[in-house]
Amino acid sequence: MNLGLPARHEAPTATHEIVLRLTIRGEPLPKQRARVLKTGFSFTPAKTRQAENRIRLEAVAAGHRPALDQAPRSLTLRFYRATGRTADLDNLVKLVKDALNGIAWKDDRQVVQLHASRFDRQENPRTEIAVYRIVTT
């Protein structure tokens, strides 16, 4: 059955340029869901806001300048957690992606490649972040 695809597809050549490399010390926190009041007003829980702000502040304090071009990004995350309680890897990733909006990319929709790992019961809890700009040639 021919689906209209070429017999052989070659991916474009791409290089990865580092945009940001950062280690956040302390227990990684998953993004909590927005809360909705009876009035219909929604808000982000304080713990989530604080964790996102900490990542932003540490990125700026480390000298990272906003990289707001439209190029696609590759994101590598490693979460080292002291606790053995379960945390959804997707929610750990989401908190970091939202925190880096306006710093590592214009919008987290630019992340087209993602590598994420979670390690539980670790002695040195931290989040390791690496963001790359994907440049196709």
Side-chain angles (χ1 to χ4, degrees):
M1 174 183 222
N2 184 348
L3 299 176
L5 299 173
R8 194 176 97 164
H9 174 75
E10 292 188 25
T13 305
T15 59
H16 291 68
E17 299 172 350
I18 189 74
V19 171
L20 178 143
R21 190 181 313 261
L22 186 64
T23 298
I24 307 294
R25 302 282 174 206
E27 187 71 20
L29 296 174
K31 178 139 184 147
Q32 297 174 319
R33 292 182 195 189
R35 305 287 189 246
V36 180
L37 301 175
K38 292 178 184 178
T39 61
F41 178 77
S42 66
F43 66 96
T44 301
K47 274 185 148 180
T48 294
R49 277 196 329 272
Q50 291 166 357
E52 288 176 350
N53 286 337
R54 180 170 178 222
I55 292 170
R56 284 187 201 104
L57 290 172
E58 290 203 27
V60 171
H64 294 288
R65 301 283 178 249
L68 303 181
D69 59 88
Q70 298 292 327
R73 299 293 198 265
S74 174
L75 175 62
T76 301
L77 297 169
R78 292 188 185 100
F79 300 98
Y80 297 87
R81 304 179 70 240
T83 181
R85 290 182 300 150
T86 59
D88 189 337
L89 183 60
D90 289 344
N91 291 333
L92 291 165
V93 169
K94 184 65 177 156
L95 187 134
V96 173
K97 286 177 65 182
D98 287 348
L100 294 178
N101 279 334
I103 294 175
W105 44 68
K106 190 170 185 175
D107 188 273
D108 60 12
R109 288 177 290 183
Q110 289 172 254
V111 176
V112 298
Q113 193 174 62
L114 174 65
H115 305 278
S117 303
R118 187 189 82 208
F119 305 94
D120 295 332
R121 295 183 180 91
Q122 300 296 306
E123 290 184 18
N124 182 17
R126 64 196 181 278
T127 302
E128 295 176 353
I129 304 167
V131 178
Y132 302 89
R133 178 181 296 110
I134 300 173
V135 181
T136 55
T137 54

